[in-house]
Amino acid sequence: MRWPWSTAPSPRLEDAQADVLMQELLSRDGTRITAAARSVARLFTASSLEALAAHVELIEQRCRGIALGGMLISNQSHLKAALQRLRYWQAHTGCLCALNPGYPFFDPRRLLEQGQMQLLSMEPAEDGWGDCHTVACTQCGQHWQAIDREYHYPWWEWKAL
């Protein structure tokens, strides 16, 4: 007989980054899950995405019902974005930049630093609130406007051009 709280051991992954993220996602600790989900939601490393995507169902199953908290925005949004990213990768649907509009925490400045985007121009947003970064994806060439927004926390509005 298995106790209801016992689970099979977490799978170990050969990709070191993916293994650390996997252990955090399966930890059943809301704080650790949220931190790992934020990382996965912004992950671009192909080998890590491939390794994690193979276990997306297990990750979703083990995270189900765990209170992740959050004040102004539910931390579930980070887990939802992470799971969506893994499924998108698994389906080979297209370039990961297509997910930018669905996750308001993609900071174009970080994507520029990582080499995922190329800055085409930067100017004040039309409504006078925040900066508007016009960028191009370095993987597929798609042009985007990423507008710096703020309401109790910084976020970015992404629009395809």
Side-chain angles (χ1 to χ4, degrees), residues 29-69:
D29 177 288
T31 302
R32 290 171 59 193
I33 292 169
T34 299
R38 283 184 180 129
S39 294
V40 172
R42 298 179 198 149
L43 186 62
F44 286 95
T45 309
S47 59
S48 297
L49 285 166
E50 195 69 36
L52 289 166
H55 301 282
V56 68
E57 300 301 328
L58 176 64
I59 294 167
E60 183 174 38
Q61 175 192 8
R62 294 258 188 103
C63 290
R64 193 172 292 129
I66 296 175
L68 299 181

Side-chain angles (χ1 to χ4, degrees), residues 113-160:
E113 289 170 4
Q114 296 170 0
Q116 298 299 323
M117 295 285 168
Q118 176 185 8
L119 183 64
L120 303 176
S121 69
M122 188 173 87
E123 54 204 33
E126 287 181 9
D127 60 7
W129 184 257
D131 291 324
C132 177
H133 296 77
T134 302
V135 296
C137 176
T138 58
Q139 305 302 309
C140 72
Q142 172 68 50
H143 288 206
W144 296 92
Q145 275 189 335
I147 304 167
D148 179 16
R149 301 294 189 195
E150 191 171 325
Y151 182 76
H152 297 293
Y153 57 88
W155 61 282
W156 288 264
E157 177 183 4
W158 285 83
K159 296 178 183 178

Side-chain angles (χ1 to χ4, degrees), residues 59-128:
I59 294 167
E60 183 174 38
Q61 175 192 8
R62 294 258 188 103
C63 290
R64 193 172 292 129
I66 296 175
L68 299 181
M71 297 279 294
L72 299 171
I73 185 169
S74 170
N75 286 335
Q76 285 289 338
S77 65
H78 303 294
L79 179 60
K80 179 181 174 188
L83 294 171
Q84 179 185 21
R85 189 171 198 80
L86 295 176
R87 287 194 173 98
Y88 191 85
W89 181 265
Q90 192 175 45
H92 302 286
T93 306
C95 186
L96 290 172
C97 76
L99 299 175
N100 291 0
Y103 189 61
F105 303 105
F106 275 114
D107 182 340
R109 298 168 300 183
R110 302 297 161 260
L111 295 175
L112 291 167
E113 289 170 4
Q114 296 170 0
Q116 298 299 323
M117 295 285 168
Q118 176 185 8
L119 183 64
L120 303 176
S121 69
M122 188 173 87
E123 54 204 33
E126 287 181 9
D127 60 7

